[in-house]
């Protein structure tokens, strides 16, 4: 069964890491804008993983009314835990979730972690035309499963937007459902079988770096990551 396009976009991004590098999207116009952040996810107090992708929500304009509905926007480039949304529409964005892989041999699974409310607020940034915005560097603590009564309503909402109609509370229940239903992910006409599983984690706490040196290092790294494609990263 096909899943939501955002998950497919992230899997395509990650697939490039295993075969050939995904190219940096060049600026579409001289006024193109972008944003970036850095993230590591620590699962159940044990292993830590660099995030491979992120999801953002763009705030609706004040006069948009009911015509504007909230939607997830996936990052379109990432390297070493630095996540970028390039050619972003100007506006206010907040980061709400991340995708990562375990790196274990033979594990093709994709793991999603949903940010707690305080982190979503901290990772809110304004993107202006022709500018590159830095949303911060974070360390997210996460636990397996998005269970009603434990996860925040917004975390449940974003998970359902990403993968509607599938269990997300716990590990084995989620896995058994996917095995029983033949829950495949279709990309470019290719069906990725149960080896490409998705699992959902709730963010329970976070740390945001406030060190100016870390912000400078992120921008220096962004220049190395993106400069060859024509992006100009200011101070």
């Amino acid at each position: 069964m096909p899943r939501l396009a955002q998950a497919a976009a992230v899997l395509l991004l990650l697939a490039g890491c295993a075969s050939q590098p995904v190219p940096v999207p060049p600026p579409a116009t001289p006024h193109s804008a972008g944003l970036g952040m850095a993230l590591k996810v620590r699962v159940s107090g044990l292993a830590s993983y660099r995030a491979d992708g992120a999801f953002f929500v763009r705030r609706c304009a004040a006069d948009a009314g009911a015509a504007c509905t909230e939607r997830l926007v996936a990052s379109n480039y990432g390297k070493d835990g630095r996540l970028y949304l390039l050619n972003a529409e100007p506006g206010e964005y907040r980061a709400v979730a991340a995708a990562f892989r375990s790196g274990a041999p033979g594990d093709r699974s994709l793991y999603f972690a949903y940010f707690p409310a305080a982190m979503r607020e901290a990772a809110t940034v304004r993107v202006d035309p022709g500018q590159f915005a830095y949303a911060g560097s974070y360390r997210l603590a996460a636990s397996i499963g998005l269970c009603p009564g434990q996860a925040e309503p917004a975390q449940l909402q974003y998970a359902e937007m990403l993968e509607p109609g599938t269990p997300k509370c716990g590990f084995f229940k989620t896995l058994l459902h996917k095995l029983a239903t033949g829950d495949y992910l279709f990309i470019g006409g290719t069906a990725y079988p149960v080896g490409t599983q998705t699992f959902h984690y709730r963010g329970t706490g976070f740390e945001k770096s406030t060190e100016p040196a870390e912000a400078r290092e992120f921008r220096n790294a962004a220049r190395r990551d993106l400069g060859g494609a024509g992006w100009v990263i200011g101070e």
Side-chain angles (χ1 to χ4, degrees), residues 35-119:
L35 67 103
M37 66 183 297
L39 177 63
K40 290 182 179 179
V41 182
R42 187 170 179 82
V43 176
S44 300
L46 301 173
S48 292
Y49 306 93
R50 288 174 174 171
D52 296 292
F55 296 91
F56 303 89
V57 170
R58 181 172 175 267
R59 185 185 295 275
C60 292
D63 58 352
C68 180
T69 58
E70 194 170 76
R71 61 184 178 89
L72 297 178
V73 183
S75 59
N76 49 13
Y77 189 72
K79 184 175 182 180
D80 297 335
R82 296 181 296 275
L83 314 171
Y84 303 104
L85 176 57
L86 304 172
N87 292 308
E89 286 186 61
E92 185 179 280
Y93 288 80
R94 66 181 183 274
V96 300
F100 63 95
R101 298 167 301 170
S102 72
D107 183 9
R108 299 173 61 199
S109 301
L110 188 59
Y111 301 86
F112 295 95
Y114 300 89
F115 304 163
M119 182 172 170

Side-chain angles (χ1 to χ4, degrees), residues 14 21 38 104 127 169 208 215-216 220 224 226:
L14 303 188
V127 177
C169 180
K208 179 180 182 179
R216 287 195 298 271
N220 288 337
R224 296 191 296 269
L226 310 177

Side-chain angles (χ1 to χ4, degrees), residues 132-232:
F132 180 86
Y134 172 53
S137 295
Y138 301 86
R139 292 168 181 82
L140 172 67
S143 295
I144 183 65
L146 282 170
C147 302
Q150 293 180 323
E152 297 174 3
Q155 291 176 320
L156 297 170
Q157 173 191 345
Y158 294 132
E160 189 63 15
M161 290 169 69
L162 263 175
E163 194 173 20
T166 64
K168 304 173 184 71
C169 180
F171 183 87
F172 290 107
K173 181 178 179 181
T174 303
L175 177 60
L176 290 173
H177 171 84
K178 294 173 190 296
L179 290 170
T181 57
D183 197 7
Y184 297 104
L185 179 61
F186 289 87
I187 298 176
T190 300
Y192 290 79
V194 293
T196 307
Q197 295 296 330
T198 55
F199 298 98
H200 300 265
Y201 291 74
R202 71 182 187 281
T204 56
F206 76 100
E207 296 178 2
K208 179 180 182 179
S209 173
T210 57
E211 293 294 330
E214 192 159 348
R216 287 195 298 271
E217 175 53 33
F218 180 90
R219 289 186 177 274
N220 288 337
R223 293 184 187 101
R224 296 191 296 269
D225 295 341
L226 310 177
W231 290 94
V232 176

